[in-house]
Amino acid sequence: MKTPQHSQSISLAFLFVFVIGNSAAMAASPPGGALQGERPRLIVSTDIGGSDPDDFQSLVHLLLYADVLDLEGIIASPPGAGRTKDIVEVIDAYARDYAHLEAHSSDYPAPDAMRKIAKQGAHDKAPRKGWSQPTDGSRWIIERAHAADKRPLWILVWGSITDVAQAIHDDPSIKEHIRLYSIGSWNTVQDPAARDYLFEHHKDLWWIESDTTFRGMYMGGVQDGEWGNLQFVERNVKGHGALGDLFFQKKRDIKMGDTPSLLYLLRGDANDPTAPHWGGAYVATDYGKQYWTDNPDPGLSTGNRAGAKTVSNWRREYLEDWKQRMDRAAKP
């Protein structure tokens, strides 16, 4: 769903075009990213425990890649009843698999360290003005944004953007240190005031806003055999450690609409949203120099989901990689 502000004309000069079916172009995953040694700092803001179980799926997936990331925070944000206890439920499953994971990589963070960065954000959406009172989550964003580290702090928004808006309102100077990748659509509807506050008052914010591209995570791409949404989970996730069983318990097929935000950091040049990434390729608009959104090229749409193919084109690659990660949880 596009919000009204997305009615701006798209600059054709910035359209990123894939050559669908070009075997040379699709021969390898995009260069760059955490899986090639670049180690991003990130915070996740999630509505885990709310009305949609796919945040549990995305957090399970993310923790399997925690050895190539500097994960600095996991914030429970609106909407719904999500709380830090839901984050901790996934970390507890990670703890049961930790010995196996650590046998594959000593860079996996200890479970207790993960529990310490689980923070509670807002319980409710923002009022009309777009911000309210500071939360533990919004304060944590500010603290980590000002850490003595030259790398940008990525904030991956999997629910409402409430705590990010609060943090930026309370300390606008953090904008020079953060990069935002938000999953919009339904999430935006849950707190439109916070989203509109950022869009209308902070045009210098570095921001990828994905309203439809993310749907390539589970729509389109290779879906035959074990690569189907149901079959992949049945064969390659269920029974693969406590993390795999928790994933299957919460939802038995791939949804994971928030996961493209992480895939973006795993493979591809994170500095260039218009380039190919596992998590999509985006276009600039006339809104501002640091804002990118879904590519309207009809050739990159699945159904009416603009840009979805810029994720699903890499489906076999990112599922192959995830399959190997699930094996880590199952055995040393």
Side-chain angles (χ1 to χ4, degrees):
M1 183 194 73
K2 288 287 183 183
T3 53
Q5 291 84 350
H6 284 155
S7 61
Q8 295 94 355
S9 61
I10 301 294
S11 172
L12 294 177
F14 289 92
L15 290 180
F16 182 90
V17 179
F18 277 90
V19 182
I20 305 300
N22 184 325
S23 59
M26 301 299 290
S29 288
L35 291 176
Q36 289 199 325
E38 300 167 12
R39 195 172 184 89
R41 303 170 59 216
L42 69 149
I43 285 177
V44 172
S45 175
T46 170
D47 59 351
I48 190 170
S51 59
D52 192 339
D54 77 332
D55 285 60
F56 282 100
Q57 294 185 317
S58 289
L59 190 53
V60 165
H61 179 276
L62 184 146
L63 293 186
L64 290 164
Y65 288 88
D67 63 320
V68 297
L69 311 167
D70 283 334
L71 182 59
E72 299 189 10
I74 313 171
I75 299 169
S77 292
R83 298 293 184 266
T84 52
K85 66 177 178 61
D86 300 299
I87 296 170
V88 171
E89 181 180 1
V90 184
I91 296 173
D92 287 347
Y94 171 85
R96 293 193 290 276
D97 292 339
Y98 182 65
H100 286 176
L101 294 171
E102 191 181 31
H104 288 275
S105 171
S106 61
D107 290 329
Y108 278 104
D112 282 345
M114 304 286 278
R115 294 185 182 100
K116 289 178 181 178
I117 61 172
K119 306 291 180 180
Q120 183 62 53
H123 289 175
D124 302 303
K125 66 181 183 179
R128 182 176 297 179
K129 60 186 178 181
W131 50 271
S132 181
Q133 297 296 320
T135 66
D136 287 347
S138 68
R139 293 188 189 98
W140 189 247
I141 290 172
I142 293 171
E143 179 177 330
R144 298 316 306 158
H146 287 302
D149 196 314
K150 293 182 179 180
R151 294 172 297 165
L153 176 65
W154 288 86
I155 304 177
L156 311 184
V157 181
W158 296 357
S160 295
I161 208 164
T162 312
D163 287 286
V164 177
Q166 186 69 48
I168 290 174
H169 169 268
D170 293 344
D171 186 352
S173 72
I174 68 172
K175 287 184 290 182
E176 63 182 288
H177 305 298
I178 66 174
R179 293 183 177 183
L180 188 63
Y181 185 131
S182 66
I183 305 296
S185 187
W186 186 85
N187 290 328
T188 297
V189 174
Q190 305 312 303
D191 189 351
R195 184 266 174 195
D196 290 349
Y197 165 73
L198 290 176
F199 193 87
E200 293 166 6
H201 297 283
H202 297 280
K203 291 191 174 184
D204 56 341
L205 178 63
W206 202 106
W207 186 1
I208 296 172
E209 188 171 29
S210 178
D211 282 323
T212 52
T213 298
F214 70 89
R215 296 189 187 275
M217 182 70 206
Y218 53 90
M219 295 175 64
V222 178
Q223 297 265 357
D224 57 309
E226 70 175 297
W227 310 111
N229 289 329
L230 277 165
Q231 296 92 332
F232 185 87
V233 174
E234 180 69 30
R235 296 188 192 184
N236 303 309
V237 179
K238 177 185 176 183
H240 287 62
L243 285 168
D245 287 341
L246 178 64
F247 185 106
F248 185 76
Q249 172 193 335
K250 297 298 183 181
K251 200 172 191 306
R252 297 188 175 192
D253 62 331
I254 292 174
K255 175 73 180 300
M256 301 170 64
D258 301 304
T259 294
S261 63
L262 173 63
L263 295 179
Y264 179 91
L265 297 176
L266 291 181
R267 289 302 298 259
D269 179 2
N271 295 314
D272 183 4
T274 68
H277 309 80
W278 276 359
Y282 295 87
V283 295
T285 73
D286 56 8
Y287 168 78
K289 294 181 179 179
Q290 296 194 113
Y291 175 83
W292 299 267
T293 191
D294 310 295
N295 192 323
D297 182 347
L300 300 177
S301 296
T302 299
N304 63 347
R305 311 299 189 181
K309 287 182 180 178
T310 68
V311 174
S312 65
N313 281 341
W314 307 107
R315 179 179 173 93
R316 178 67 179 262
E317 284 81 1
Y318 59 69
L319 290 186
E320 285 270 17
D321 200 84
W322 178 25
K323 177 180 177 180
Q324 295 174 19
R325 293 273 165 167
M326 289 306 322
D327 286 343
R328 291 186 176 189
K331 55 191 176 184

